[in-house]
Structures are given as structure tokens and as C-alpha cells.
């Protein structure tokens, strides 16, 4: 584009398409593959790479000291994610380069792969990178050496089946199996201590190679807990370098703090604060064409039809500042039909938050609101009381803030809430009944970090 013609009117469909289809990440990944493999025919290579559709397959490395349970975790992840397990034994049975070729080719195209205990040294890690095996998630299990030595001492092996048992954690109930268990080699305290010393020497040289994709999990806890922490991590997406324009939707009942949180987000991230109700009031105050249509509904205290609301809202969201900076919307949609209207207009939020607040807290927040008719200043009898008795005496309550009206509006929101949550499947539900700045921190985390992958 010619910079001299700025500002450019970029259709909202363009950034939405780029984000939805991960265009930036796709181009970045293709460039990485070209630099790694340096094919003689780049175009066919890129076409083949795109046809592999391997963006969502697992590429995981599980590392850890002896007796940390890394093999068990790797096997469980393989079963849950339907992936291929690559172990040190695979390396012994095959040439490393042929295994790498398999990981790059068939495994990536089909199910993905999980490396168990590989790489063991920095040299192996660099070789893996050179061969184009790029993991997405690194899991490092950690536990005190004393715990690991004690675990190793309790290992027993069934010579007939090769099954591994433990005298404390996994002892077979059948006496026949118990009688034939043998002590494996290499589990004596001195031998385990030597293996641990070698592991600690190597791991500190390996970890700096994977600074942004690494998760350390304590192995000094039940194996099931370790597995679910590992599974949760591999289901998350890493933060991308792709340009990201937040389009935030805040949903919640009256008094849930939507307006405050929208103002905080707009202030910190320079988003456009779009309050649907305020837009309608401004249209009436400006005596615009839409305002003249809306005014009779205001005078009769009737709801403005959805098609009119959408025209006013779309007019605002199509402005260059909303497209370039992003927006935070609240007050619309309130039900499934409105959400569908917003979707058909190609104004799709990429972050949706539901602020849940119990009815008792809502009543306390809303029914104690008051307004000074002289200055227009707003007060709250509990959280922001008026400074003088004179001001307090003239305060007025909005009829909409009565307890009866609050209950009706809250019931209406929660009646429609389930359908909205189903429509916005990747919405994040937050507890809005806490300190506003704690809520803001959760909102920030949900906006900054990628949404979790939906892995079955």
C-alpha cells in the first residue's frame, strides 16, 4: 500500500480472515521450513507442506530425571492424543536421521509424535533442530533427588510380561505375579545418584534451547495429577508474533461491572469503548437520522428494535479507529438473535467474556446507586457515599435501579445466557463478584494469551 494515502480504510473482513485462518503463522511456518530443508523446488515443497495440514498435531518432548515417571506420562499422552511414541530404544534400533525423517514426514502428517526422554544432551537437541524436528511443547518433570532415589529402589519387573511394578505405589495383587518379580539392574542408590548427576549436568544445557515452549511440572505428586497438568499444557497455544487486533465482547447482568472493565481495557490498550446504550443516546442527542427514528421509542420507554440498533452499532464499528485499534463492546448482544445479527454483519469478537455475579451482590451494587440532580454526579450509598448531608438529601434513584426491576433484568439475562454461551463456544466465564482490578487481571490474561485448543 502507498503510505501517502493513509489512513487506509481496511475492510473488517480482512483482519478477521487473517486471524481466523492463522495466515501470519502459516507464512512464518513455511519460511522456517524453507530455511531448514532448502529444497531445490520451493514451490512444490510449499504446496506439499500446506497439504500436510499438520498445524494441530502434537509435537511434544517429555524430559525428566530417572524415576520421574516420564515414560508413563508420555505413554498416557500418546493414548489420549492418539500420537506416536518415540523413545531412546527407537534411536538404538534405527539410525537417528531415518527416525528424524519419519518424525518429519509420516508422523507429522498423520498423528504427530511425542519424544520420551529425548534429547538427553545438548548435542542431541541441536541435531534434532538441524534435522527439522521442531517441538511445540516441552514438558520437564522435576522432583527432589531423595524422592527419585527412593522411587527407583522400589522398582520391580515381571520377567514374563516386562511390566514394571513398585513395592509402594503399584504392587500387583496376584501372589503369582508377586513371586516372579525381579529387581532390575541399575537401581541401586549409588547408580541412581550417578545417573541423576549426569542428568543435572545435561539438562541445564538443554533447557536454554527451548525458552518459550517449556513447562516444568513437579513429579513429586500423584501420577494422575502430573498427567492432567501436562495435558492441560499441551492443549494450550503459545503466544504468536502475529498482529492481533482485540475485538472484545463483555457479557453480564446489570451491575456486573461491564462498563468499568470496558473503560479499563480501553484506557490501557487504547481500544474503542463501544457501549450500545450510549450509542443510542448519542444518536438521539445529535438528532441524526437514526436518532429521529430512535427518539419515539425512548419517549415511550420501549425497547429499540434490533434492526435499528444494528444499523447504529455497525456504523460505529465500521469506523477506521475501531478497525485499526480494536474495540470492547458491552450492552449488546443480549440474546441469541442479536448475537446472530452481529455475526451476519461480520463483526465477530475474538474474545468473549461472561461476568457472573450472584443476585445478592447485584442488588447491593445497583439498588444503592444514586444521582445528584444538581451536578449530575453519581454516588453509591455504600462504596461512594455523598460527602455532605445536603447532597445526600437531594439524591435521586433511577427507577430502573429498584430491586424489582433489577431482579427482572437479571433473570432475563440468565435466561438467555446459556444460548449465548453455546453460540460463543470459546467464551471465558469469570467470577465478577470480586475486586474490580482482580477481574481486570483475568480479562487481561484472556486477551493477551491465546485461546486453548479444543483437544478431545
Amino acid at each position: 500500500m502507498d503510505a501517502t494515502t493513509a489512513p487506509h480504510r481496511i475492510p473488517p473482513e480482512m483482519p478477521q480472515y487473517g486471524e481466523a485462518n492463522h495466515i501470519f503463522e502459516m507464512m512464518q511456518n513455511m519460511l522456517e521450513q524453507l530455511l531448514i530443508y532448502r529444497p531445490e523446488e520451493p514451490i512444490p515443497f510449499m504446496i506439499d507442506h500446506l497439504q500436510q495440514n499438520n498445524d494441530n498435531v502434537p509435537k511434544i518432548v517429555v524430559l525428566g530425571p530417572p524415576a520421574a515417571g516420564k515414560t508413563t506420562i508420555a505413554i498416557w499422552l500418546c493414548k489420549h492424543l492418539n500420537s506416536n511414541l518415540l523413545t531412546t530404544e527407537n534411536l538404538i534400533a534405527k539410525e537417528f536421521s531415518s527416525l528424524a525423517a519419519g518424525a518429519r514426514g509420516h508422523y507429522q502428517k498423520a498423528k504427530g509424535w511425542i519424544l520420551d526422554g529425548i534429547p538427553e544432551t545438548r548435542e542431541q537437541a541441536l541435531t534434532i533442530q538441524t534435522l527439522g524436528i521442531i517441538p511445540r511443547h516441552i514438558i520437564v518433570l522435576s522432583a527432589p533427588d531423595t524422592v527419585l532415589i527412593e522411587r527407583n529402589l522400589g522398582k520391580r519387573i515381571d520377567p514374563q510380561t516386562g511390566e514394571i511394578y513398585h513395592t509402594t505405589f503399584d504392587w500387583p495383587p496376584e501372589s503369582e505375579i508377586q513371586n516372579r518379580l525381579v529387581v532390575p539392574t541399575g537401581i541401586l542408590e549409588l547408580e541412581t545418584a550417578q545417573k541423576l548427576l549426569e542428568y543435572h549436568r545435561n539438562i541445564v544445557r538443554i533447557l536454554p534451547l527451548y525458552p518459550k515452549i517449556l513447562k516444568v511440572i513437579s513429579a513429586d505428586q500423584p501420577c494422575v495429577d502430573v498427567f492432567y497438568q501436562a495435558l492441560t499444557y499441551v492443549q494450550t497455544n503459545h503466544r504468536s508474533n502475529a498482529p492481533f487486533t482485540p475485538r472484545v465482547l463483555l457479557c453480564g447482568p446489570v451491575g456486573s461491572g461491564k462498563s468499568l472493565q470496558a473503560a479499563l481495557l480501553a484506557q490501557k490498550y487504547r481500544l474503542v469503548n463501544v457501549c450500545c446504550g450510549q450509542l443510542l443516546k448519542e444518536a438521539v442527542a445529535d438528532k441524526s437520522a437514526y436518532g429521529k427514528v430512535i427518539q419515539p421509542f425512548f419517549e415511550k420507554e420501549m425497547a429499540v428494535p434490533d434492526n435499528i440498533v444494528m444499523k447504529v452499532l455497525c456504523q460505529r464499528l465500521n469506523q477506521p479507529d475501531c478497525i485499526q485499534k480494536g474495540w470492547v463492546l458491552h450492552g449488546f448482544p443480549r440474546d441469541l438473535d442479536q448475537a446472530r445479527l452481529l455475526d451476519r454483519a461480520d463483526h465477530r469478537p475474538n474474545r468473549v467474556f461472561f461476568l457472573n455475579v450472584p443476585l445478592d451482590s447485584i442488588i447491593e451494587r445497583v439498588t444503592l446507586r444514586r444521582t445528584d440532580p444538581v451536578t449530575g454526579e453519581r454516588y453509591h450509598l455504600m462504596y461512594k457515599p455523598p460527602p455532605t448531608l445536603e447532597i445526600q438529601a437531594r439524591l435521586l434513584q433511577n427507577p430502573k435501579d429498584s430491586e424489582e426491576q433489577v431482579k427482572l433484568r437479571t433473570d432475563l439475562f440468565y435466561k438467555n445466557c446459556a444460548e449465548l454461551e453455546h453460540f460463543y463456544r470459546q467464551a471465558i466465564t469469570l467470577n465478577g463478584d470480586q475486586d474490580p482490578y482482580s477481574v481486570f487481571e483475568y480479562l487481561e490474561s484472556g486477551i493477551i494469551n491465546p485461546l486453548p485448543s479444543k483437544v478431545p
Side-chain angles (χ1 to χ4, degrees), residues 201-260:
R201 285 173 177 168
N202 287 318
I203 195 67
V204 294
R205 301 178 66 234
I206 295 173
L207 299 187
L209 298 176
Y210 307 105
K212 297 182 180 180
I213 59 172
L214 186 143
K215 171 77 170 178
V216 178
I217 298 175
S218 172
D220 190 14
Q221 56 181 321
C223 201
V224 174
D225 295 341
V226 177
F227 167 70
Y228 279 109
Q229 289 180 40
L231 182 63
T232 300
Y233 174 62
V234 301
Q235 289 177 350
T236 60
N237 295 317
H238 299 298
R239 291 182 63 177
S240 168
N241 293 322
F244 177 68
T245 304
R247 299 185 300 276
V248 183
L249 173 61
L250 300 181
C251 298
V254 57
S256 59
K258 301 186 297 295
S259 298
L260 173 59

Side-chain angles (χ1 to χ4, degrees), residues 159-176:
Q160 292 187 10
T161 63
E163 194 77 21
I164 299 176
Y165 295 94
H166 196 278
T167 55
T168 304
F169 307 116
D170 187 20
W171 191 244
E174 299 86 354
S175 58
E176 180 182 353

Side-chain angles (χ1 to χ4, degrees), residues 9 16 57 68 72 89 97 101 112 120 165 168 181 205 233 289 293 367 393 411 426 437 455-456:
R9 295 188 66 85
Q16 289 180 20
V57 297
T72 301
E89 286 71 23
S97 59
E120 296 177 341
Y165 295 94
T168 304
L181 294 182
R205 301 178 66 234
Y233 174 62
V293 177
T367 60
D411 290 343
Q426 289 192 303
Y437 292 96
V455 179

Side-chain angles (χ1 to χ4, degrees), residues 26 30 43-55 108-110:
M26 186 189 303
M30 279 202 303
I43 302 301
F45 175 85
M46 288 190 290
I47 293 173
D48 180 65
H49 176 71
L50 290 173
Q51 289 175 339
Q52 288 180 14
N53 189 27
N54 58 12
D55 290 337
Q108 284 191 0
K109 291 179 182 178

